[in-house]
Amino acid sequence: MGETPPAAAATPMSKIQGNLLCTPGGGAKLREEKILVTVRMRPLNRKERAMYDLIAWECFDDRSIIFNNPNQERPATPYTFDKVFAPSCSTQKVYEEGARDVALSALSGINATIFAYGQTSSGKTFTMRGIVENAIKDIYDYIKNKPERNFILKIAALEIYNETVIDLLNPESGPLRLLDDPERGTIVEKLNEEVAKDGQHLSHLIGICQAQRQVGETSLNDKSSRSHQIIRLTLESSLHESSGQEKSYVASLNFVDLAGSERLSQTKTCGVRLKEGNHINRSLLTLSTVIRKLSGGKHGHIPYRDSKLTRILQSALGGNARTAIICTISPSLSHVEQTKNTLTFATSAKEVVNNARVNMVVSDKTLVRQLQKEVVRLEGELRSPELSSSSSCLRSLLAEKELKIKQMEKDMEDLRRQRDLAHSQLELERRANKVHKGSNDHGPSGQVVRCLSFPEESESEIGKHTPDRRKVVGRQAMLRSLLASPDPSILVGEIRKLEHRQLQLCDDASRALEVLHNDFATHNLGNQETAETMSKVLSEIKDLVVSGSSPEEIVTADKADLMKMISQLKNQGNTIASLERKLENVLKSIEKLVSTFGTEETPDSKTQLRKLETENRVPTNNNIGGGGKFAREGSPAA
Ligand SMILES: Nc1ncnc2c1ncn2[C@@H]1O[C@H](COP(=O)(O)OP(=O)(O)OP(=O)(O)O)[C@@H](O)[C@H]1O
């Protein structure tokens, strides 16, 4: 036999569709439904009567039960349920009011589970046997009255004994495994399933299952069930409608007779019975934990997997099933604690909500027809103008995106090329900087020094200059001879050169000062002294410009007067020398400012600045030396 889940039909899930429809069993459209919880109190049994046990519970009405404590005057709070059945109630009534509606749901494709819960010897097996009997009778009555529907009934049965699953229709098959199916949930591997030919055959098969069940004698029950028993009926039905359509349903109906919870002190068990009792209590504890958690609303983790019982019953507990629980209790005072536990369990179970639905089976023919319809619908959608226009839209969007990506790739390539170019330029500059040690692009003092450099003196040349006193002396001697020359035009030429150089110096000095001034202002540098120095330098430059006007007079004068003017100059003696000194003063002042500024620079730039100043001093001296032709006149030596 194939694998079959106990709580779901064997029909492949792909063929079962969950629908919320009217049910032949009388139920309306189903969605969420709480578990139906009833309580059945049995009469005092023979042993209890013999011990003169007292009745501690009273059925207040058909829905409430109350504890009558003979030692307490104040009445306790009643427990309320969907139905409470007094000891005098027949099993027929219990079935009709506590199980029938749920059981018959299976006829319309809704999974249903009915189980009995209670302490040992409280009447579970007694009740469940009656429920199964009545249900089978009702099911076959229903089938008989529905000739237009084809029914197939199958039966499978198992027991969980000491946490081992045993096939009650084929006990020789040994322990069965539980498997997890992504669609069907927990299934019992290789569980035997037989088709019931009719009601009688079904009752016979059920009888075999009950006979196979593990039963043992305890101090509380001569025939105590030592295992949990699950009888599962699978009901499949199909209906030919006038439209020619065939509707099929499939559902499971589980009858669960649990083993009874037992107080080991009361049952006085040992050995095998003790072991059984431990297993029973442990799995029942898991069941009540699952129920308690489900009843809490906010579910979180539900420990279904903690016992085989809860794994197998999972769909009946908060899943796709209608569920009825009949809690059986003893009325005796000696079992009051156990009864209270059962009622607490029943109270929790009342709050558990299931989500039952109709399991409709789609026949192969119907399935093919449905799929064909779907294909036609999808083809129509594909051909629809909205879809084709939207797909052309998508195509143009795609082309646009591709274009953009290409453009971006090109841009990236350009950027990469620019970056490489910048790198190589930077490298070149770095190398050039190594060569041009005198240049300093950073900082104001560098700019000032550049302003003070004369254009005809390249920086490479500056590096070569050395304060060679012999060269200066040589040039001065040459100039002296020029001055001694009788040709005044040579002197005029020399004066014009000097005039040009002087103006250039003034211009350079004033530019340098301007840059320096700007830098001081930008960097908030300098103090009162600096400001004074600057204004002093400015006035010195003004003086230089004023003094520079005399050579202009020389240029415009008559050639005849030149010699006279030269001698005049000679007589003035110190005029050129003072110009030279003034110019030197200007440069010194600027250098001072530069060095003042240099102290506020980093050590590196400071060093560089000093170096630059040293290097510039040489050509400056040379220029002063160049003007030495006048120095001769102004110098004491002259
Ligand atoms: N409502 C009832 N009316 C009369 N007798 C009952 C009723 N319920 C139970 N009994 C009797 O009480 C005894 C114990 O009942 P039963 O075996 O059904 O209990 P149980 O709950 O199944 O116990 P266990 O858990 O040990 O299997 C049986 O002899 C049974 O006939």
Side-chain angles (χ1 to χ4, degrees):
M1 293 297 258
E3 296 163 11
T4 48
T11 311
M13 287 302 285
S14 55
K15 288 187 172 186
I16 298 174
Q17 294 178 343
N19 290 325
L20 301 174
L21 299 172
C22 289
T23 66
K29 283 188 179 178
L30 299 173
R31 194 172 286 254
E32 288 190 340
E33 185 186 67
K34 285 186 176 177
I35 290 178
L36 180 74
V37 181
T38 56
V39 173
R40 183 184 200 189
M41 186 160 66
R42 64 159 170 80
L44 283 175
N45 63 24
R46 188 174 46 80
K47 278 188 183 170
E48 287 160 351
R49 281 198 304 273
M51 290 170 71
Y52 301 103
D53 211 339
L54 295 172
I55 292 178
W57 297 90
E58 182 192 337
C59 293
F60 199 65
D61 54 36
D62 66 345
R63 295 193 65 208
S64 339
I65 187 166
I66 196 162
F67 176 51
N68 270 337
N69 189 345
N71 305 320
Q72 269 182 359
E73 279 178 20
R74 212 155 50 110
T77 314
Y79 293 85
T80 308
F81 302 99
D82 292 309
K83 270 277 183 248
V84 169
F85 304 107
S88 55
C89 273
S90 67
T91 303
Q92 172 76 24
K93 188 174 161 79
V94 174
Y95 165 73
E96 282 170 3
E97 295 181 15
R100 185 177 185 272
D101 188 41
V102 171
L104 295 188
S105 299
L107 288 164
S108 52
I110 296 167
N111 296 329
T113 298
I114 295 155
F115 60 92
Y117 177 97
Q119 74 161 113
T120 183
S121 80
S122 59
K124 297 180 293 295
T125 305
F126 179 87
T127 302
M128 279 313 290
R129 284 189 175 176
I131 298 289
V132 171
E133 223 172 88
N134 279 285
I136 289 171
K137 187 179 169 295
D138 271 357
I139 286 167
Y140 277 99
D141 283 351
Y142 182 87
I143 291 171
K144 206 162 64 185
N145 292 327
K146 295 281 177 192
E148 72 277 12
R149 290 179 75 166
N150 289 327
F151 280 93
I152 299 173
L153 247 86
K154 294 175 194 164
I155 179 174
L158 61 88
E159 71 172 342
I160 304 165
Y161 175 69
N162 291 346
E163 277 302 280
T164 304
V165 180
I166 295 163
D167 189 341
L168 290 173
L169 283 173
N170 185 19
E172 286 75 37
S173 62
L176 303 181
R177 288 198 307 158
L178 298 187
L179 302 175
D180 288 314
D181 184 277
E183 277 190 336
R184 294 185 285 175
T186 302
I187 56 170
V188 183
E189 191 186 32
K190 294 175 184 168
L191 182 68
N192 195 22
E193 192 174 44
E194 291 204 16
V195 176
K197 293 174 198 142
D198 50 34
Q200 214 178 348
H201 184 217
L202 184 61
S203 298
H204 169 72
L205 291 171
I206 287 171
I208 291 172
C209 296
Q210 285 166 347
Q212 290 295 337
R213 195 181 176 189
Q214 297 286 335
V215 177
E217 187 182 341
T218 66
S219 62
L220 292 181
N221 191 351
D222 297 340
K223 289 181 180 173
S224 177
S225 303
R226 310 311 290 164
S227 67
H228 307 298
Q229 182 197 60
I230 301 171
I231 293 172
R232 194 200 68 215
L233 302 183
T234 300
L235 290 89
E236 289 178 20
S237 65
S238 56
L239 171 72
H240 283 281
E241 290 187 335
S242 49
S243 60
Q245 240 193 337
E246 189 183 80
K247 273 188 178 169
S248 300
Y249 303 91
V250 63
S252 297
L253 173 56
N254 297 306
F255 298 103
V256 185
D257 181 9
L258 296 173
S261 58
E262 49 195 61
R263 275 187 148 180
L264 301 176
S265 58
Q266 278 188 325
T267 48
K268 298 184 182 83
T269 51
C270 59
V272 177
R273 294 286 167 267
L274 183 67
K275 188 184 168 191
E276 291 166 353
N278 282 333
H279 279 294
I280 291 165
N281 284 347
R282 210 172 302 144
S283 58
L284 288 174
L285 181 69
T286 305
L287 176 66
S288 47
T289 306
V290 167
I291 291 283
R292 185 166 38 81
K293 290 211 168 194
L294 287 170
S295 68
K298 289 174 194 165
H299 294 164
H301 171 69
I302 310 293
Y304 291 111
R305 297 186 68 83
D306 284 5
S307 78
K308 287 185 175 160
L309 177 71
T310 46
R311 273 183 82 184
I312 292 168
L313 289 178
Q314 184 168 342
S315 67
L317 305 168
N320 173 23
R322 296 188 75 194
T323 301
I325 298 178
I326 302 164
C327 293
T328 53
I329 56 169
S330 158
S332 75
L333 187 62
S334 57
H335 298 309
V336 73
E337 287 311 313
Q338 288 285 75
T339 303
K340 277 183 180 174
N341 287 343
T342 302
L343 294 178
T344 303
F345 172 89
T347 304
S348 290
K350 277 197 309 182
E351 302 308 319
V352 177
V353 177
N354 282 353
N355 292 284
R357 59 176 185 265
V358 175
N359 302 309
M360 256 184 90
V361 183
V362 182
S363 70
D364 290 344
K365 256 191 194 170
T366 314
L367 202 65
V368 168
R369 254 204 312 275
Q370 278 182 2
L371 289 171
Q372 280 170 342
K373 265 188 193 169
E374 186 65 7
V375 168
V376 169
R377 190 185 64 79
L378 289 171
E379 279 175 351
E381 260 183 28
L382 278 171
R383 277 195 296 272
S384 77
E386 298 112 59
L387 200 75
S388 65
S389 80
S390 70
S391 75
S392 79
C393 247
L394 281 174
R395 261 196 295 276
S396 69
L397 201 70
L398 193 71
E400 201 182 305
K401 291 254 182 258
E402 269 177 9
L403 217 68
K404 266 189 187 164
I405 288 168
K406 272 185 189 155
Q407 184 59 44
M408 281 168 86
E409 280 172 354
K410 202 167 155 283
D411 289 352
M412 288 269 288
E413 194 50 46
D414 283 354
L415 283 169
R416 245 181 248 127
R417 229 178 283 134
Q418 280 176 25
R419 183 200 60 193
D420 293 346
L421 195 67
H423 276 171
S424 53
Q425 277 177 353
L426 197 69
E427 187 53 34
L428 277 174
E429 272 185 32
R430 227 180 265 137
R431 279 186 203 155
N433 279 345
K434 272 186 193 166
V435 175
H436 303 151
K437 284 179 186 168
S439 72
N440 181 9
D441 287 340
H442 311 289
S445 49
Q447 288 178 28
V448 173
V449 172
R450 266 205 308 281
C451 290
L452 290 168
S453 304
F454 297 107
E456 63 267 36
E457 290 169 346
S458 71
E459 288 173 325
S460 55
E461 281 173 324
I462 289 167
K464 289 176 196 164
H465 285 303
T466 50
D468 191 337
R469 180 70 189 152
R470 274 176 304 170
K471 276 185 187 172
V472 174
V473 170
R475 268 199 302 276
Q476 280 178 354
M478 188 190 72
L479 286 167
R480 263 198 304 273
S481 73
L482 272 172
L483 278 170
S485 168
D487 188 355
S489 63
I490 295 172
L491 283 170
V492 169
E494 285 302 318
I495 289 166
R496 285 188 69 109
K497 274 187 201 169
L498 181 67
E499 171 205 13
H500 179 71
R501 171 63 70 220
Q502 188 184 336
L503 285 171
Q504 211 173 31
L505 281 169
C506 288
D507 190 37
D508 284 342
S510 96
R511 269 195 294 130
L513 196 70
E514 195 186 326
V515 171
L516 201 62
H517 179 76
N518 283 344
D519 288 333
F520 270 58
T522 310
H523 298 279
N524 260 341
L525 300 169
N527 49 22
Q528 184 60 34
E529 197 194 339
T530 319
E532 280 169 15
T533 311
M534 273 197 202
S535 65
K536 193 180 140 215
V537 172
L538 263 173
S539 72
E540 281 168 353
I541 290 168
K542 259 186 203 163
D543 281 352
L544 277 172
V545 175
V546 170
S547 309
S549 60
S550 60
E552 190 58 35
E553 287 168 22
I554 292 168
V555 174
T556 52
D558 282 342
K559 203 173 177 181
D561 293 327
L562 278 172
M563 289 308 287
K564 193 182 158 195
M565 288 177 88
I566 289 166
S567 72
Q568 235 176 26
L569 281 169
K570 277 182 183 174
N571 290 339
Q572 283 169 2
N574 62 353
T575 309
I576 298 295
S578 91
L579 263 176
E580 206 172 354
R581 268 199 305 281
K582 279 180 182 172
L583 183 61
E584 204 170 359
N585 279 343
V586 168
L587 291 170
K588 273 183 185 164
S589 302
I590 290 171
E591 279 171 18
K592 192 183 162 196
L593 282 170
V594 168
S595 66
T596 310
F597 184 80
T599 56
E600 293 171 28
E601 291 284 304
T602 60
D604 272 0
S605 64
K606 206 167 134 189
T607 314
Q608 207 174 7
L609 185 63
R610 281 207 195 105
K611 202 174 166 190
L612 288 167
E613 283 170 359
T614 313
E615 285 167 355
N616 276 287
R617 194 167 289 130
V618 177
T620 306
N621 286 342
N622 278 349
N623 274 285
I624 292 166
K629 55 193 173 181
F630 300 106
R632 176 190 166 268
E633 290 166 353
S635 69

